Amino acid sequence: MVKTECQMDDEVEEPKKVNLSKDIRYMMYGFGDDKCPYSESIMLIEDIVLNYLSDLSGQAVNMGKKGKITVEDILHLIRHDTKKYNRAKELLMSSDDIKKARKCFDEENYYQ
């Protein structure tokens, strides 16, 4: 069966709406804000974060392989912001360490 343009438009999935408000609320509290911060503050921070991530991922898509984002693309984009760059490198190293530890743990369980 051939679908018309109208039928195809109906099937287009809308992008998922990301909700970071719960995480932002916890982070704000962790950084010294009130336990129940204003919802306007949370929405503002969420908007700023989502715009930043959207811009960063848009720039990363245009780098390297077209249509594909790699870790190196992100690191290249944040290379001038030393705090973000160092934190990203630290998290990548921690991720590698965790993978190695899990692999060793799984091998130990396999041999028992």
Side-chain angles (χ1 to χ4, degrees):
M1 179 177 163
V2 178
K3 296 180 181 180
T4 65
E5 263 188 36
C6 293
Q7 290 171 329
M8 293 174 103
D9 288 341
D10 292 341
E11 293 178 2
V12 175
E13 292 182 26
E14 293 182 24
K16 290 182 180 179
K17 175 67 176 153
V18 178
N19 188 358
L20 302 174
S21 59
K22 184 177 179 183
D23 298 319
I24 291 171
R25 176 176 284 128
Y26 291 142
M27 290 176 73
M28 288 174 70
Y29 181 64
F31 283 108
D33 203 337
D34 191 50
K35 193 169 188 171
C36 296
Y38 291 123
S39 59
E40 292 86 3
S41 299
I42 295 170
M43 290 183 337
L44 176 65
I45 292 173
E46 182 177 25
D47 188 45
I48 292 169
V49 168
L50 292 176
N51 283 335
Y52 175 76
L53 291 175
S54 177
D55 291 344
L56 188 70
S57 59
Q59 292 174 9
V61 164
N62 295 326
M63 296 179 64
K65 295 180 181 178
K66 292 295 180 190
K68 190 171 188 177
I69 298 175
T70 63
V71 173
E72 289 78 18
D73 294 337
I74 301 295
L75 290 175
H76 179 75
L77 289 172
I78 63 172
R79 70 188 182 280
H80 296 298
D81 188 338
T82 55
K83 284 185 179 181
K84 289 179 190 168
Y85 183 80
N86 289 335
R87 180 66 175 150
K89 293 292 275 186
E90 178 184 338
L91 290 172
L92 288 170
M93 287 189 292
S94 297
S95 177
D96 289 341
D97 292 343
I98 291 170
K99 286 179 186 176
K100 289 176 186 175
R102 281 187 183 149
K103 186 176 179 182
C104 290
F105 183 73
D106 290 341
E107 287 176 359
E108 288 175 8
N109 286 340
Y110 180 73
Y111 291 120
Q112 288 181 356

